[in-house]
Amino acid sequence: MGIAILGIVIGFATDHFTLAYRIMLVLFLVFSGWGTFYYVKNHERQYLDDYRRYNRSYDNITREDDLLR
């Protein structure tokens, strides 16, 4: 990360704007991909938690019905 920021500063200081903008684009793509990955991972975890919670409550209902018979 530090090397990328240093490359951006050096690119702008030495009038290599294309290099600096390319480094900024790469950093943006990396952070966007990283955020999307964790968003999907969190969404999957929430779905599985809800699924387990539903099945646990369904199992409790069926066990109670079996005990009453």
Side-chain angles (χ1 to χ4, degrees):
M1 178 71 176
I3 294 174
I5 293 173
L6 183 64
I8 292 169
V9 170
I10 290 173
F12 280 120
T14 59
D15 293 334
H16 291 98
F17 296 113
T18 307
L19 175 67
Y21 285 124
R22 285 183 183 171
I23 294 172
M24 289 170 56
L25 178 65
V26 168
L27 283 176
F28 174 75
L29 293 175
V30 166
F31 285 126
S32 296
W34 197 0
T36 303
F37 173 75
Y38 279 107
Y39 172 77
V40 170
K41 188 175 177 181
N42 185 37
H43 190 69
E44 177 188 11
R45 183 179 181 122
Q46 285 179 345
Y47 174 79
L48 290 175
D49 287 345
D50 289 342
Y51 179 74
R52 289 184 192 123
R53 189 176 302 120
Y54 172 76
N55 282 341
R56 194 177 314 132
S57 66
Y58 181 75
D59 288 343
N60 289 338
I61 292 170
T62 57
R63 286 187 200 143
E64 290 172 2
D65 289 343
D66 290 339
L67 291 174
L68 294 175
R69 292 182 191 172

